[in-house]
């Protein structure tokens, strides 16, 4: 039988041609190495997931039947690698005994390899017996894995974003928006992937029926790889370093008054205009410690560190706009200490309930 290279093969081949060099570049990257190498492994695994369809649409399995059970696709490795990548990004390392997370994928790979090495007549009989049941079991395990690791990833990223907002004023620089988008895309991928496989196991959809699923997997892998390449160059603060030590309660301390005093001194000193201001730096400027400052902000003023500093920056921008400052909004925002236009727009909308441009328009004579 002749091979046929149609548009389906072309789409998946282009995705693989981008993903594999991207994975190689991430593997040799010197920045955030644990997270970079985990993401590289994830991209290779996700490429392997759609390789059987890439070569299947071209007619490889019809021409060379012995390729059946070739261990290209190990989908059970995808959810744990997604979790390990998020963990490495947040902590700068893998968790203890991380290899246990990879055991289901290793079992799947071992099973496929053993079936692939069977003599061809025996492989024929085993495929007739086990294909449908094996696909159903794999789809169920994948669905469970997506749910469990999805919950862990979302909790981990929420904890990291909260810790960043309590410690740094430039928390938006560390790809928190990207982490949020990834956490949102993850359950969508899980629903589409596991759901489509379960439907296919019950009612076979055939090669063409599964093409949208594998195109979606390739697209998600490309998104992860390109976004990861952009953001992994940042020196992400680790979650361990962001944790603020607890202190015992101090009876009689008026944290609200203390917070108001320190807020006034911060405003007068213009310290909030430092776009890399941290809790530690501001505590040193105020001649106090991080724990006291954190408590004064959270208990006294009812706000986190990032929201407090960005609120002062928004006040500066609002004062400039009310005074008729003709400079572009971004220039005013950068002078006030914001690191990006996106973080400025979000903070200003949250503080004043309208966009900066609408605020400026309302103060024009």
């Amino acid at each position: 039988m002749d091979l046929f290279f149609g548009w389906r093969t072309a789409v998946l081949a282009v995705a693989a041609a981008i993903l594999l060099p991207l994975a190689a570049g991430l593997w040799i990257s010197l920045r955030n190495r644990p997270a970079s190498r985990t993401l590289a492994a994830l991209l290779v695994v996700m490429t392997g997931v759609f390789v059987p369809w890439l070569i299947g649409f071209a007619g490889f399995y019809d021409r060379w039947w012995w390729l059946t059970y070739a261990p290209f696709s190990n989908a059970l490795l995808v959810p744990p690698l997604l979790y390990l990548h998020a963990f490495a990004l947040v902590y700068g390392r893998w968790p203890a005994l991380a290899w246990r997370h990879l055991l289901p994928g290793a079992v799947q790979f071992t099973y496929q390899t053993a079936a692939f090495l069977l003599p061809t007549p025996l492989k024929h009989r085993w495929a007739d017996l086990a294909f449908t049941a094996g696909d159903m079991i794999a789809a169920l395990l994948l669905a469970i894995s997506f749910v469990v690791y999805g919950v862990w990833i979302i909790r981990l990223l929420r904890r990291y974003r909260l810790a960043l907002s309590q410690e740094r004023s430039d928390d938006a620089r560390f790809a928190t928006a990207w982490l949020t988008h990834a956490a949102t895309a993850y359950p969508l991928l899980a629903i589409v992937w596991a759901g489509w496989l379960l439907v296919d196991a019950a009612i076979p959809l055939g090669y063409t029926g599964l093409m949208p699923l594998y195109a979606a997997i390739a697209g998600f892998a490309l998104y992860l790889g390109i976004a990861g390449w952009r953001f992994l160059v940042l020196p992400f603060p680790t979650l361990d370093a962001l944790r603020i030590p607890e202190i015992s309660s101090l009876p009689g301390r008026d944290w609200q008054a203390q917070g108001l005093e320190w807020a006034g001194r911060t405003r007068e000193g213009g310290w909030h205009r430092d776009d890399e201001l941290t809790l530690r730096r501001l505590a040193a400027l105020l001649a106090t410690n991080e724990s006291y400052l954190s408590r004064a902000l959270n208990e006294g003023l009812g706000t986190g560190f990032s929201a407090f500093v960005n609120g002062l920056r928004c006040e500066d921008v609002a004062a400039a706009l009310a005074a008729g400052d003709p400079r572009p909004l971004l220039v005013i925002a950068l002078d006030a200490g914001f690191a990006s236009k996106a973080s400025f727009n979000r903070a200003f909308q949250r503080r004043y309930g309208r966009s900066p441009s609408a605020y400026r328009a309302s103060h024009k004579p």
Side-chain angles (χ1 to χ4, degrees):
M1 181 177 178
D2 294 332
L3 300 179
F4 173 74
F5 295 94
W7 68 269
R8 295 182 180 88
T9 301
V11 168
L12 297 179
V14 168
I18 298 172
L19 287 169
L20 293 179
L22 191 57
L26 287 166
W27 186 265
I28 63 175
S29 174
L30 298 178
R31 291 186 177 270
N32 292 343
R33 177 162 287 188
S36 297
R37 290 194 166 183
T38 306
L39 182 56
L42 175 62
L43 296 184
V44 171
V45 169
M46 294 189 76
T47 303
V49 166
F50 62 79
V51 160
W53 267 256
L54 189 161
I55 63 176
F57 284 126
F60 277 59
Y61 289 105
D62 295 322
R63 185 166 183 176
W64 298 294
W65 200 90
W66 56 268
L67 283 171
T68 302
Y69 281 117
F72 297 124
S73 176
N74 293 277
L76 292 179
L77 286 173
V78 172
L81 283 174
L82 279 166
Y83 169 72
L84 292 174
H85 170 58
F87 193 98
L89 196 64
V90 168
Y91 283 97
R93 55 178 172 80
W94 271 20
L97 302 177
W99 58 269
R100 295 182 302 179
H101 296 280
L102 305 178
L103 283 178
V107 171
Q108 183 182 31
F109 177 80
T110 302
Y111 165 74
Q112 291 176 344
T113 303
F116 176 67
L117 296 176
L118 290 173
T120 301
L122 185 57
K123 185 187 294 191
H124 268 288
R125 290 196 294 271
W126 180 248
D128 292 339
L129 291 172
F131 252 148
T132 302
D135 289 348
M136 177 64 79
I137 293 171
L140 286 172
L141 291 176
L142 186 63
I144 294 169
S145 183
F146 266 125
V147 170
V148 172
Y149 284 106
V151 170
W152 291 354
I153 289 172
I154 291 171
R155 286 179 178 175
L156 178 65
L157 296 184
R158 281 178 179 171
R159 189 160 66 249
Y160 185 61
R161 289 197 302 270
L162 177 61
L164 271 176
S165 69
Q166 294 292 336
E167 172 71 17
R168 302 188 65 108
S169 65
D170 58 344
D171 53 320
R173 295 179 61 198
F174 299 101
T176 51
W178 172 61
L179 295 174
T180 302
H181 295 158
T184 302
Y186 180 92
L188 294 177
L189 175 69
I191 293 169
V192 171
W193 193 339
W196 215 298
L197 289 182
L198 287 171
V199 170
D200 179 60
I203 308 171
L205 300 174
Y207 262 32
T208 56
L210 286 170
M211 177 59 189
L213 168 63
Y214 291 95
I217 293 171
F220 185 74
L222 286 169
Y223 168 73
L224 282 178
I226 295 171
W229 183 272
R230 288 179 56 205
F231 290 113
L232 282 173
V233 298
L234 290 173
F236 275 69
T238 63
L239 192 55
D240 291 329
L242 291 171
R243 287 176 179 167
I244 303 167
E246 294 292 333
I247 60 173
S248 58
S249 178
L250 298 178
R253 190 82 177 250
D254 187 343
W255 289 111
Q256 184 178 21
Q258 185 68 82
L260 291 171
E261 177 194 341
W262 284 339
R265 289 175 58 189
T266 302
R267 186 182 290 107
E268 292 171 6
W271 300 324
H272 57 285
R273 298 189 186 101
D274 178 359
D275 62 354
E276 295 184 357
L277 186 66
T278 64
L279 184 73
R280 177 173 297 179
R281 171 64 176 158
L282 182 57
L285 291 169
L286 292 168
T288 185
N289 63 51
E290 298 170 63
S291 298
Y292 285 2
L293 177 56
S294 179
R295 179 163 290 185
L297 295 178
N298 285 275
E299 296 184 18
L301 302 184
T303 186
F305 176 73
S306 178
F308 163 71
V309 175
N310 285 329
L312 295 181
R313 293 167 177 169
C314 287
E315 290 178 11
D316 282 3
V317 174
L321 296 180
D325 191 326
R327 294 178 299 165
L329 285 172
L330 182 58
V331 174
I332 300 174
L334 294 176
D335 282 351
F338 286 101
S340 69
K341 183 178 180 180
S343 60
F344 160 58
N345 286 334
R346 285 194 300 270
F348 198 93
Q349 181 76 34
R350 192 180 303 116
R351 177 72 171 78
Y352 291 100
R354 49 185 160 167
S355 68
S357 56
Y359 190 92
R360 165 176 267 174
S362 68
H363 285 81
K364 283 185 177 180

mmCIF file of all heavy atoms in Angstrom, residues 62 174 230 311:
data_model
loop_
_atom_site.group_PDB
_atom_site.id
_atom_site.type_symbol
_atom_site.label_atom_id
_atom_site.label_comp_id
_atom_site.label_asym_id
_atom_site.label_seq_id
_atom_site.Cartn_x
_atom_site.Cartn_y
_atom_site.Cartn_z
ATOM 1 N N ASP A 62 -0.797 0.617 7.950
ATOM 2 C CA ASP A 62 -1.327 -0.280 6.918
ATOM 3 C C ASP A 62 -0.198 -0.930 6.128
ATOM 4 O O ASP A 62 -0.301 -2.092 5.714
ATOM 5 C CB ASP A 62 -2.247 0.501 5.967
ATOM 6 C CG ASP A 62 -3.491 1.024 6.676
ATOM 7 O OD1 ASP A 62 -4.017 0.293 7.538
ATOM 8 O OD2 ASP A 62 -3.904 2.158 6.389
ATOM 9 N N PHE A 174 6.046 37.976 37.175
ATOM 10 C CA PHE A 174 6.422 36.571 37.214
ATOM 11 C C PHE A 174 5.347 35.670 36.625
ATOM 12 O O PHE A 174 5.023 34.619 37.161
ATOM 13 C CB PHE A 174 6.772 36.164 38.648
ATOM 14 C CG PHE A 174 7.927 36.947 39.180
ATOM 15 C CD1 PHE A 174 7.730 38.018 40.027
ATOM 16 C CD2 PHE A 174 9.224 36.647 38.787
ATOM 17 C CE1 PHE A 174 8.798 38.762 40.496
ATOM 18 C CE2 PHE A 174 10.291 37.397 39.242
ATOM 19 C CZ PHE A 174 10.076 38.449 40.094
ATOM 20 N N ARG A 230 9.200 31.816 26.858
ATOM 21 C CA ARG A 230 9.206 33.258 27.125
ATOM 22 C C ARG A 230 9.408 33.557 28.605
ATOM 23 O O ARG A 230 10.169 34.447 28.964
ATOM 24 C CB ARG A 230 7.875 33.871 26.680
ATOM 25 C CG ARG A 230 7.677 33.978 25.181
ATOM 26 C CD ARG A 230 6.313 34.570 24.890
ATOM 27 N NE ARG A 230 6.151 35.866 25.561
ATOM 28 C CZ ARG A 230 4.966 36.372 25.889
ATOM 29 N NH1 ARG A 230 3.860 35.696 25.651
ATOM 30 N NH2 ARG A 230 4.897 37.555 26.476
ATOM 31 N N GLY A 311 -1.867 50.264 45.050
ATOM 32 C CA GLY A 311 -2.850 51.292 45.369
ATOM 33 C C GLY A 311 -2.215 52.666 45.465
ATOM 34 O O GLY A 311 -2.773 53.657 44.969
#
